[in-house]
Amino acid sequence: MSDSSAAEDIAAGYAFTGPTLDLGALLWDGACLPDRQIRIPLSMLNRHGLVAGATGTGKTKTLQLIAEQLSANGVPVFLADIKGDVSGISAPGAANEKSAQRAKEVAQEWTATGYPSEFYSLGGIGPGIPVRATVTSFGPVLLSKVLQLNQTQEQSLGLIFHYADSKGLELIDLKDLRAVVAFLVSDRGKAELKGIGGLSTVTSGVILRALTAFEQQGAAEFFGEPEFDTSEFLQTAADGRGMVSVLELPAVQDKPQLFSTFLMWLLADLYNDLPEVGDLEQPKLVFFFDEAHLLFNGASKPFLESITQTVRLIRSKGIGVFFVTQTPKDVPGDVLAQLGNRVQHALRAFTPDDAKALKATVKTFPNSEYDLEELLTRLGTGEAVVTVLSETGAPTPVAATRLRAPQSLMGPIDEAALDAAVKGSLLYARYAEAVDRESAYEKISAEQAAAEAAAEAAAGAAEAEKQAKAAAKAAPKPDPSLAEQVVGSGLFRSLARSVGTQLGREISRSIFGTARRRR
């Protein structure tokens, strides 16, 4: 096959009939071909994707490029901004010689454009509208996975949630859950679960220790009210463009368990709330998780199973998920198998481990006209190897691509602009201030205080009675009065007996009519 024929065949694989996102121009035999455009069908964005490459190769700019075009097509976007450099999507980019040259090379009509954006934070950690969830909505199954509980402990946690629900004890934050667990193993609370299995002190201890470790990751900030409505992420702006929701995570990038927790809850909540829609002309929402290796490093098996299942099933709800990371091996195989769209930036081969990762990456691509092992080590910044799903769901030919430049600011906006954007949002008043209303902790504390007060009052009354009796017993008797002395004397008692006997006889005679005995 001639070089021109091979290039034509590759380009033909990207000639779609429906709406598309433009990624860039085909690279072939060392030349950029601006008339051979590489695209991705908009309808295939819910088939998930991967953007990978070594540090400094342009992964974040690719994320930004795709997110901009999704927004322009009316598709809401969610960006997890680990490093804090994606906030610039809200502001127009800066025209310069470099961006003008890139636009010319790839036949791009570049116009500086900012996109409608909202900025969020996990529970108010860092700048952004706080995103919180209640313990009840998070649920025992998801929480058990995060706490890495075994099956018995998970069942016990489910029992705790069931008891709290049946008794009207709302589990809003982690102190509510702690209070219920502590109560159910106390002397007063043990009888509450006796009929349905009970809660052992060993299991409760495991749960409480796991909660402590979880809190040290910053989870206490995430759980609470007002609870965030995840449908906020599905909004469009007044001009019809999709809203770009940027979750600012620099303050928690060293707390991967907290971020993983949020990811699990968010995807699970959307999955539970959204109806089945099958394949749509365009997705309802597309997620981008930058620095995805932070999600999976040290992740528990239950967490990985949950992510795999969610990614597999959420496609039918119209949701697309893109992971952005350094190498495909950062993503577990079962998850990677679900990612139909691939943008692979350059890889390094400086060490034996690098070389091994390179070979593994090449094996994840379809057969190609390129020598991928060589190509992936010499791609420039802003260049990538692409394969996506066609409109029929079949993989497109592998295409080396010089990518378009984002039209928004390639870098973070300044802190003042970010703060103004956050506080100027209509959502800020709804979610900014935490609310700590009466829930399980307060109710149990009040009952405990009342029980202790009653016990103290009873104990005080018993002690007072005891002291009164003791005092009465120990008190000296007073000296008798003159009358008491006379009445108590032996002579007086003898005289009283004599008078009483005589008086009794007289009364008997008067009643029965007997005569007085004559002498």
Side-chain angles (χ1 to χ4, degrees), residues 106-279:
V106 300
Q108 177 185 10
E109 295 181 5
W110 191 92
T111 303
T113 309
Y115 294 83
S117 303
E118 295 278 12
F119 297 95
Y120 299 95
S121 63
L122 286 186
I125 304 175
I129 299 164
V131 176
R132 303 182 185 90
T134 65
V135 172
T136 294
S137 72
F138 204 77
V141 175
L142 204 53
L143 190 57
S144 295
K145 295 182 187 303
V146 173
L147 299 179
Q148 300 184 35
L149 304 182
N150 63 30
Q151 184 177 8
T152 300
Q153 294 156 359
E154 180 179 343
Q155 291 171 348
S156 294
L157 188 61
L159 194 62
I160 293 166
F161 271 71
H162 171 74
Y163 171 79
D165 184 59
S166 65
K167 296 296 183 179
L169 299 172
E170 293 181 277
L171 301 178
I172 293 174
D173 51 28
L174 291 181
K175 74 176 185 294
D176 290 326
L177 182 56
R178 281 181 166 281
V180 175
V181 174
F183 170 74
L184 290 176
V185 292
S186 68
D187 292 337
R188 288 197 312 118
K190 285 179 181 178
E192 295 287 328
L193 295 181
K194 189 174 182 180
I196 51 176
L199 176 66
S200 74
T201 54
V202 174
T203 297
S204 68
V206 171
I207 293 173
L208 290 174
R209 286 192 295 274
L211 284 173
T212 298
F214 192 32
E215 285 177 310
Q216 291 174 349
Q217 285 279 326
E221 299 290 335
F222 172 60
F223 290 100
E225 286 186 323
E227 183 173 47
F228 189 78
D229 183 353
T230 54
S231 67
E232 306 283 10
F233 295 138
L234 301 172
Q235 304 303 315
T236 55
D239 61 5
R241 290 185 296 173
M243 188 65 69
V244 180
S245 299
V246 183
L247 181 67
E248 293 294 335
L249 294 169
V252 295
Q253 60 181 303
D254 60 338
K255 300 177 174 65
Q257 190 180 17
L258 178 60
F259 177 53
S260 299
T261 298
F262 170 76
L263 168 64
M264 294 174 70
W265 168 74
L266 177 56
L267 292 181
D269 194 70
L270 283 169
Y271 179 78
N272 290 330
D273 289 350
L274 293 175
E276 293 280 342
V277 293
D279 292 325

Side-chain angles (χ1 to χ4, degrees), residues 31-45:
C32 180
L33 309 176
D35 59 338
R36 304 288 188 268
Q37 290 291 306
I38 304 304
R39 305 178 174 91
I40 178 172
L42 188 57
S43 61
M44 289 292 110
L45 267 295

Side-chain angles (χ1 to χ4, degrees), residues 314-336:
I314 204 168
R315 178 182 69 82
S316 64
K317 304 293 183 111
I319 305 296
V321 180
F322 273 67
F323 295 101
V324 184
T325 190
Q326 295 184 4
T327 70
K329 70 181 182 64
D330 292 335
V331 181
D334 289 342
V335 176
L336 189 62

